[in-house]
Amino acid sequence: TYADLGASVTDNVDGNLNIVTTVDGVEVAVVSVDTSTAGIHEVVYKSTDQAGNIGIATRTVIVEDAVQAPVSEPPPEEPAP
C-alpha cells in the first residue's frame, strides 16, 4: 500500500491557501497510487497566493515489481569478542 505524506503551505500574507493536488496529471481530492502494477507516478502539489506567487512541490512514487525488486541482505554477524 501507499500512504501519501501530503503537503502543507504557509504564506506571510495569505492565511488560508488551497493546495491543488494531481497524480499523473489528473487533479484529485485524495492521493491514491495503484501499487499492484509496477510504474512511476508523479504527485504534484500546487498553491497560488493572492499576489499570484506559485509554490509547487513534486513527489515521485516508484512502484517496483515484487519479483524484480532488490532483496536486502541482513548485515553480517560480527564475531563475539
Side-chain angles (χ1 to χ4, degrees):
T1 61
Y2 172 75
D4 186 63
L5 300 175
S8 62
V9 61
T10 58
D11 186 81
N12 62 343
V13 177
D14 296 329
N16 189 17
L17 295 175
N18 187 35
I19 298 175
V20 176
T21 307
T22 60
V23 176
D24 298 331
V26 178
E27 189 173 327
V28 296
V30 176
V31 174
S32 178
V33 173
D34 180 7
T35 59
S36 67
T37 304
I40 298 175
H41 304 278
E42 183 177 70
V43 182
V44 177
Y45 309 91
K46 179 179 177 182
S47 186
T48 306
D49 69 7
Q50 291 178 3
N53 299 309
I54 299 171
I56 298 175
T58 303
R59 177 173 291 127
T60 302
V61 179
I62 301 170
V63 179
E64 294 182 334
D65 186 347
V67 175
Q68 297 177 0
V71 177
S72 59
E73 297 290 327
E77 291 186 27
E78 293 190 22

